[in-house]
Amino acid sequence: MKFLVTGGAGYIGSHMVKFLLSKNHEVTVFDNLSTGKLINKNKINFIKVNLLNRKKLDQLMSKKKFDAVFHFAALSIVNESEKKPRKYYMNNVLGTKNLINSMIKYKLNNLIFSSSASVYGAPKTKKILETHQMKPISEYGKNKKEIEKILAQIGKKKNFKSISFRYFNAAGADESAKIGENHKPETHLIPKILNSIKRKQKKVYIYGNSYKTIDGTCVRDYIHVNDIVRAHYYGLKKFRQKKCILNYNIGSGKGYSVLEIINGIEKVTRVKLKIIYKKKRKGDPPILVADCKKIFKDLRWKPKYKNIDKILLTAWQWHKKPFI
Ligand code: UFG
C-alpha cells in the first residue's frame, strides 16, 4: 500500500516509517526537517515541505493516490505552546487544516491524526476514558482538540475518515538504537535526564513536589513508541467501515511519578542522579493515566512493552550512542 507520513523525520514519525517499510509498504515522507532525523533515505520518497505552503501541498497531493495519511508533523512541547501560542496555532492547526483540505480536494479520504492526552486537561477521574470531558489547560492541548472537532464535523458531512490517537507519554526507542527521541530543545523528562547522564552532569530538575500524588511529583502514563506505532497500523482496518470518525487513547494504563522514573533510570544506567527541585511548570496536570479499554477491545491492541525499566533501557541504548 501507499502511505504518506507527515513528520516522518520526527520521533514517532520515524518509528512509523521504519515499521511501514518493514511491512514492504511504499512510504512518502513530508517533513520540514525542523527537528529530528531522516533515516532510510534511499527507501522512501522524501519531500521537504512546510504544511503552511498550501500551493506546494496541493501540487504534491495531486500526484499520488495514498491509501492513508499518517499525520505526525506538529510542534509538541506543552510549555513552549504557552509562550508561543501563535506559532503553535499556525503549525498545529492551520498546517493540519491545509493538509485536510488538500486531501479532500484530491479525494484522499483516510487520515490518522496524532492527538494527545493533553486534550483532557486536569482529569476528573483516576483513569481517563475517551468520553472524559475535553478541557485542555495548554495551548498545545487546545490545538489538538480543535483539529479533532474539525475531523468530526467533516466526517459527518463528507466521505472523510479519520482516527485520532490520543497519546499519553511516548517513551523509549527502537531496539535497533538507530532512531529515538531527540527534540531541540529537549524538555521531556526521560531524554533530558539521559542527556545529562551522557554529558556527565548527572542532574535532574523536578518541576513541583507538592502535587496530590503518591510522592508529590507528577504522574504520567509512559508508552513505548513502537507500541504507539503498532496501534496506528491496527487502526487502518477501521477505514473499511463506511463511516469512520474515531478516537482512541494510547497508553499503558499504568502511572509512574517523576521520582519513580528517576529511580528506574538510575537502575538502568547505574548512575546516581542529583535531584534539584524547581517550581511547578505551567500547564502540567498532576496525573495523566489512560483507560485503554476502548482500544483493547476495538483494535485488539495491547502494549508489548509492559515493563517501565525495559522502556527506559531502550531509550538509554539509543541515547548513549555518540552521534546524538
Ligand atoms: N518533568 C520534570 N523535570 C524535567 C522534565 C519534566 O520534573 O526536567 C516532569 C514534568 O513536570 C511532567 C513529567 O515530568 O510532570 C513529564 O514531562 P514531559 O515534558 O516529559 O512530558 P509532558 O507530560 O509534559 O508531555 C508529554 C508530551 C505531550 C503530551 C503529554 C501527554 O510532550 O505532547 O505528554 O501526556 F501531550
Side-chain angles (χ1 to χ4, degrees):
M1 289 168 98
K2 288 190 185 116
F3 293 115
L4 169 63
V5 180
T6 75
Y11 173 37
I12 307 176
S14 62
H15 285 78
M16 190 78 238
V17 169
K18 184 169 185 277
F19 184 91
L20 293 173
L21 289 175
S22 78
K23 302 272 180 202
N24 294 319
H25 294 296
E26 191 183 315
V27 180
T28 298
V29 168
F30 289 180
D31 202 296
N32 64 3
L33 296 180
S34 59
T35 59
K37 187 180 154 212
L38 196 64
I39 57 149
N40 293 308
K41 282 184 207 148
N42 51 349
K43 294 188 191 148
I44 57 170
N45 311 306
F46 170 69
I47 296 139
K48 189 171 177 203
V49 57
N50 187 329
L51 298 185
L52 290 168
N53 186 344
R54 175 71 200 268
K55 210 169 147 206
K56 186 162 178 194
L57 202 55
D58 276 355
Q59 268 170 15
L60 295 167
M61 298 297 260
S62 66
K63 286 189 192 137
K64 267 212 175 108
K65 188 88 193 107
F66 297 114
D67 293 289
V69 176
F70 296 89
H71 178 39
F72 296 96
L75 297 172
S76 64
I77 300 170
V78 176
N79 196 248
E80 188 189 38
S81 76
E82 295 300 296
K83 292 175 193 149
K84 298 176 181 164
R86 201 180 124 76
K87 183 179 167 197
Y88 270 67
Y89 191 83
M90 298 279 290
N91 270 275
N92 294 353
V93 180
L94 298 186
T96 304
K97 273 188 176 175
N98 276 347
L99 178 71
I100 295 169
N101 287 329
S102 190
M103 284 178 71
I104 292 172
K105 185 167 176 191
Y106 295 103
K107 299 197 167 37
L108 304 169
N109 299 327
N110 303 329
L111 175 71
I112 294 195
F113 172 60
S114 297
S115 187
S116 161
S118 59
V119 295
Y120 297 115
K124 297 247 178 257
T125 48
K126 232 170 155 188
K127 287 193 181 184
I128 307 174
L129 275 167
E130 287 82 353
T131 47
H132 187 284
Q133 66 174 20
M134 286 163 84
K135 276 201 173 167
I137 55 173
S138 66
E139 291 301 317
Y140 173 72
K142 286 178 200 160
N143 295 167
K144 296 291 180 185
K145 183 182 164 186
E146 187 162 341
I147 296 300
E148 284 204 32
K149 206 170 126 195
I150 291 170
L151 290 174
Q153 283 164 351
I154 294 176
K156 279 180 202 149
K157 282 196 240 137
K158 296 184 192 286
N159 175 29
F160 191 85
K161 303 180 186 181
S162 68
I163 306 176
S164 299
F165 283 113
R166 297 174 184 160
Y167 311 153
F168 283 64
N169 287 53
D174 188 67
E175 291 190 32
S176 66
K178 287 191 176 134
I179 42 176
E181 188 173 11
N182 186 19
H183 308 98
K184 283 198 177 84
E186 191 53 83
T187 61
H188 292 80
L189 181 66
I190 299 169
K192 232 175 114 181
I193 301 176
L194 297 178
N195 281 341
S196 171
I197 293 175
K198 196 169 156 184
R199 293 188 200 115
K200 311 256 184 270
Q201 293 160 335
K202 303 177 194 170
K203 66 179 178 196
V204 47
Y205 296 110
I206 296 185
Y207 299 126
N209 62 346
S210 61
Y211 287 101
K212 284 187 186 149
T213 59
I214 43 162
D215 55 25
T217 66
C218 281
V219 170
R220 292 287 182 274
D221 179 337
Y222 295 88
I223 178 79
H224 194 274
V225 59
N226 276 344
D227 278 329
I228 294 183
V229 158
R230 208 163 33 80
H232 285 59
Y233 198 64
Y234 288 10
L236 291 172
K237 60 182 170 226
K238 288 287 176 187
F239 290 141
R240 288 188 215 123
Q241 295 177 180
K242 203 155 184 288
K243 281 263 165 203
C244 175
I245 313 166
L246 291 166
N247 50 57
Y248 295 105
N249 287 339
I250 309 185
S252 71
K254 214 167 170 301
Y256 293 92
S257 72
V258 174
L259 279 169
E260 285 173 325
I261 293 297
I262 293 172
N263 280 334
I265 293 181
E266 287 185 332
K267 208 161 46 169
V268 162
T269 59
R270 298 204 180 93
V271 168
K272 184 83 195 134
L273 291 159
K274 181 175 169 1
I275 294 175
I276 302 155
Y277 287 97
K278 294 263 189 187
K279 65 173 195 299
K280 289 180 184 174
R281 247 180 15 181
K282 201 172 164 250
D284 267 349
I287 305 180
L288 279 178
V289 181
D291 186 318
C292 296
K293 277 200 253 342
K294 187 177 172 189
I295 188 169
F296 287 179
K297 183 164 171 279
D298 250 36
L299 299 188
R300 297 184 182 282
W301 168 91
K302 272 211 160 99
K304 285 189 179 165
Y305 290 84
K306 294 195 181 92
N307 181 315
I308 189 70
D309 290 348
K310 175 73 190 177
I311 296 177
L312 295 172
L313 182 65
T314 63
W316 177 228
Q317 275 160 349
W318 142 261
H319 260 276
K320 68 182 181 195
K321 292 252 166 138
F323 52 78
I324 305 162

